[in-house]
Structures are given as C-alpha cells and as structure tokens.
Amino acid sequence: MRVKSALVALVVGLVGLGGSTSMGGDLPKITPQEMKKASQIYFDRCAGCHGMLRKGATGPKLTPEVTRKRGIKYLETVMYNGLPGGMPDWGKQGVLSKKDINLLARFLMHEPPPPPERDMKDILNSWKLYVPPEKRPKKPMHGRNWQNFFGVILRDAGKVAIIDGDKKELVSLVDTGFAVHILRASATGRYFYSIGRDGKVTLIDLWMKKPDKVAEVKACFDARSVDVSKYAGHRGNYKDKLAVVGCYWPPSFVIMDGLTLKPLKIIGTSDYTYDTNEFVREARVASIVASHDQPEWVINMKETGKVWLVDYSDIKNLKVAVIDAERFLHDGGWDISKRYFLVAANMRNKVVVIDTLEKELEAIIETGVKPHPGRGANVYNLKYGPIWCTGHLGSPEVACIGVDKRNHPEYAWKVVKKIRLPGEGGGNLFVKTHPRAKYIFADRTLNPDPKLQRSFHVIDKQSLEVVKTIEIPKKYKGRVVHFEFSEDGKELWVSVWGKKTKPEEQAILVYDAETLKLKNEITGKWVVTPTGKFNVHNTLRDVY
Ligand code: DHE
C-alpha cells in the first residue's frame, strides 16, 4: 500500500536521523520500529478525527503539550473504553490490543512526524486507465435494472459489492483497495466513483456485463469525499464530465476528468480560520456536494470553517465564492428544494445553512451535541412544512429544522422538533428517509450500549416521535450502520457491520419500509464489514 510505505519511510527517516529511540527527557521510550507501527495505527484509526498533525477537529487536540499533561494511563483508558461524545472504545471492540493501545499512548507523547507531500507528477504516476471510454459498452450489457443497483462498501475487505436491488443478487465484487469510505453516482447514473481513506478513487462502470473498475487514481494520501459534475443547462452540459476528490492530506481538492479520472488540477486548501484568521496548514476538505442547478460544487473546509462554492465551468479561470460559516464542518446534504446546503459544524454543535443561489450564509442553528447528519433526512411535515433532520453523536436526539422560508417563515431555520431517542447517550451516525416512505430511520452505531448498537429507531414523519425500535436477529453480531432505500422507496437496506474475520455474523438486511418486516437477508462469505450503501437512482438525484 503506497500510503503506508510513504508514511513509514518518512517516520523511519525522522527517527533514524535523530539516532535516538526516545525524544525528550523522561518521555516514554519508543523504538524506530514501534514509531513506524504506531504511525500506521494512528493513520488508520485516529487521524480522521484528530488530524495528521494532531491539531484536533472532530476529536480533541493531541499534540504533546496536551498528551504529556494527560499521562499514559489516562490516554490508555480513553482508547480502551471510549468516551460518550463519540470516541470509539477501540479496546473493548477488540480493534486495538492492550499492547497497541500502550504503544499509541507512548507515540502520542512525542511530536507527530510531518506527513509527506504529493504533487501532480505523483498523482499522474498513480493514474490507471483500464478501459478507455471508446472501448466501453454503448448500452447496458446485462439486462438488469441498473438504476436500482446498490453499491455496498465492504470496508475492511477493500471491495465494493454491486447488488441487483430487484433480485437481491450479487452482480459483481470490485477491488477498490483500502477502507473505501463513500460512493457517489455519476450524473447519468452509469458510473460509481468510490473514494478510499488512502485517497484512491475508483471508477466503476455499471453497464459492463460484470460491472468493474475502468480507471483509478490516487489523488492524495488521506481522503473522505468525492463528487461529480451534475449540471446540464444553458451554461453547458457537464454530466459525467468532471469529478472532484476532497483530501484530508495533503489539504487540497483534486479535479479530474469524469470519464477517465485523469487528474487536471490540484487546489490547495491551507488557509486562515474564518473567525480569528489563524493559519491552518491542515485545513481538510470534508463533504462535497454537486449542485443540480449550477455548474458548481459546495466544498466544506473543516478546520477553517469556510464553505467554498467552486464554479467548475472554466477550471483554467476557477471562480470560487468563499463563505465564512463555522469551524469543524463535516457532513451534510441538500434541503428538499436543493437550493440550501445544510452542513454540520460538529464540534460547535451547530448546523450551517448555505444559500447556493445567493451564494451566502443563510443561517447557523444550534441543534444538539455533535450533529452528524450523513446527508440528513428531508421530510414534508403537515404542521411545519418541509423540514430537514439530523442525528447527533453526543446526545440522544434527532433535531428537525424548518427549511421553507417562503411558505412557513415562522419555522424557517429553527429547530422545530427535537425527537428524543430511547436510551442514554448519542452514537447516532445516520438518519435516512425517502419521499415515498412513512418513516425516518436512525441508527445508534457508536452508542456504548450493545443492545442499541444492534437496533435502529423508526420515527413517524408526521408525529415526529419514535414509534418503534427494531433489534436485528440475534444470529448477527455486528452493529447496525447506515441506511439506503430502494429506487421506489419501498425497501430499507441496513448494514450489519461486524468483525472482518466473521462474515457469517454480518449481513445486509432488507426491511419492508412500511410494514417494517424483515424481507431479505443478504449474506455470504463476501459480506465482510458492510458499511455505506448507495442506490444508483437515489444517489444521483440526492434523494434522502
Ligand atoms: Fe465517514 C460520510 C468523514 C468515520 C461511514 N464521512 C462522510 C463524510 C465525511 C466523513 C467528510 C462526508 C462525505 C461527503 O458527503 O462528501 N468519517 C469521516 C471521518 O473523518 C471519520 C469521523 C473518521 C475517519 O477516520 O474516517 C469518519 N465514516 C466513519 C466511519 O467510521 C464509518 C461509519 C465507516 C467507515 O467507512 O469508516 C463512516 N461516512 C461514512 C458513510 C458516509 C460518510 C457511509 C456517507 C453517508 C451518506 O449517506 O452519504
């Protein structure tokens, strides 16, 4: 894995240069081999929340001046047991051994090694075009209803499963590499783009007899988001023309050709915070969403708290509107009209609303402890009109915000309802609904209570109350995470995310979205750590 070798080489170099196994007076000792191992574990498990430079974001700052005060025992306890605000219980879950935890605690007392840089030459060297566009099928080759295909991330298997949603059949298993995070569909729906934690984008052609990857490129060392150009109108037809990857490290976004993934342009995002104007080297790109009404991407900068509206119609003369919002922007989605983008500023307990038509900040709303909407849930409520709902990592509630300024101004940009979820603590990662569904669904993946981890809540769209909590069958041992609907909104797909070594304890469960009866259990040796699921029709149209 190239990210591993690059990081590791750097760390070994640094430790080697010092010629010492211990940095600083009575600091705990760490050998070069241990430093190498700890850097990799930190990158895999911790950097997403705490940052490569450990300056903090979704998780607190872990620079040596902080960790040395906390001490080894404290750090070990937190890594073992987790914290109610969302810090996973790595030890209890069996993801990290006591030895790994002790190693990480020692590692955290030392200065973080500087991560490597990456430029266009490196990106181009990693670019592989397996099947050029002219050699691809001119029509779907399998006779299946590909608009109802689901792409399912098999996180720790390094694969994406393509499943026929009508027949519940596995159509293809595509090798995508390390810890794929999300998939997005191209504007025509023909392609899936996957992005891995290692910054690798894979382009999957769903029209092939057996859908497979047709191109890939490693845009950066660490990434979480990808989207495509979706606009078609009087300013041009950009459908399937461009893709964009949002990088955590190096802090940047990379624009590429949508049909080949040939990298075209890198834009650095290191910048100043919106409020105090402090320089942030590690200003990471969090969520990206493509506008349907303009040739534009909404790109959210985590640490600086700015939202960039990037006009992709002329990438040689890139025009960007930079909007001051709130720090620690993370995930978000469109409101029902697709004019407003709502994004969580999670460590500020707020949701920011961006008006993409006027290109300005519309509102900032306090919702609960660490909002985590995924893409959120859009609902038409008879009392409040259109609302958008988010769950929380740190508190047991789903908050719904009025989004209709014109017809329901009294509710616009206010929390109209906080829906109390059963049990204590938050740990909700995703909420989801569909325009044709009666309910909103909410998981409790990160809640410390094992029963809640294995359950999901059903919220009535009109009463805005939890009407039922469904526990998955006992034979499955994983946690419930993430939902997706079938194209027609009649089925709810749920992942049971367990241990990599025990596929028999995991599944993708399909429930009737109205009767709430379990209809299908998709299982098999290949069902290894299923997480996000993306239906072609719903993903390309932003139905949630
Ligand atoms: Fe995610 C979305 C970042 C942990 C599964 N995740 C996102 C987005 C970001 C993000 C920025 C929005 C992308 C977009 O819309 O463009 N996620 C991070 C992290 O930094 C974090 C907290 C820690 C990390 O190291 O990665 C993290 N995420 C997780 C998980 O542990 C999950 C459950 C499983 C995994 O892959 O590791 C997970 N994240 C997801 C999923 C989405 C997502 C399934 C897309 C939701 C959707 O419906 O669109």
Side-chain angles (χ1 to χ4, degrees), residues 43-49 58 90 153 155 179-184 197 224-227 248 284-289 302 329-332 341 372-375 429-432 445-446 481-483 497 531-534:
F43 174 74
D44 289 348
R45 302 286 169 195
C46 322
C49 293
T58 305
W90 294 125
I153 290 167
R155 189 190 181 283
V180 167
H181 206 82
I182 66 166
L183 298 181
R184 296 292 179 226
R197 263 197 176 66
R224 297 292 180 284
S225 49
V226 64
D227 213 340
Y248 270 14
R284 297 179 288 176
V285 175
S287 44
I288 302 184
V289 73
K302 191 187 285 286
L329 300 175
H330 192 75
D331 50 348
F341 183 70
H372 193 277
R375 299 234 124 174
L429 276 183
F430 298 105
V431 289
K432 186 78 51 102
T445 321
L446 295 186
V481 69
H482 198 252
F483 308 99
W497 176 22
T531 54
K533 300 160 295 305
F534 303 86

Side-chain angles (χ1 to χ4, degrees), residues 227-232 235-236 238 242 244 288-299 307-314 318-323 334 338-341 354-360 542:
D227 213 340
V228 297
S229 50
K230 288 191 176 168
Y231 174 79
R235 292 182 62 193
Y238 294 93
L242 296 169
V244 59
I288 302 184
V289 73
S291 171
H292 295 253
D293 302 325
Q294 305 168 64
E296 187 170 273
W297 292 308
V298 182
I299 304 191
V307 178
W308 291 21
L309 301 180
V310 177
D311 180 337
Y312 55 68
S313 61
D314 178 3
L318 205 66
K319 291 176 194 67
V320 183
V322 178
I323 300 172
W334 290 112
K338 297 194 174 68
R339 167 175 173 172
Y340 299 101
F341 183 70
I354 301 295
D355 179 349
T356 60
L357 187 65
E358 297 294 338
K359 302 197 193 307
E360 61 188 26
D542 287 279

Side-chain angles (χ1 to χ4, degrees), residues 26 70 79 86 90 96 121 129 140-141 145 160 203 246 274 300 314 380 422 427 513 529-530:
D26 49 4
R70 298 284 198 191
M79 284 188 265
W90 294 125
L96 296 180
K121 192 160 59 60
L129 183 59
M141 302 305 284
N145 174 16
V160 167
L203 180 63
Y274 87 95
N300 296 279
D314 178 3
Y380 189 87
T529 58

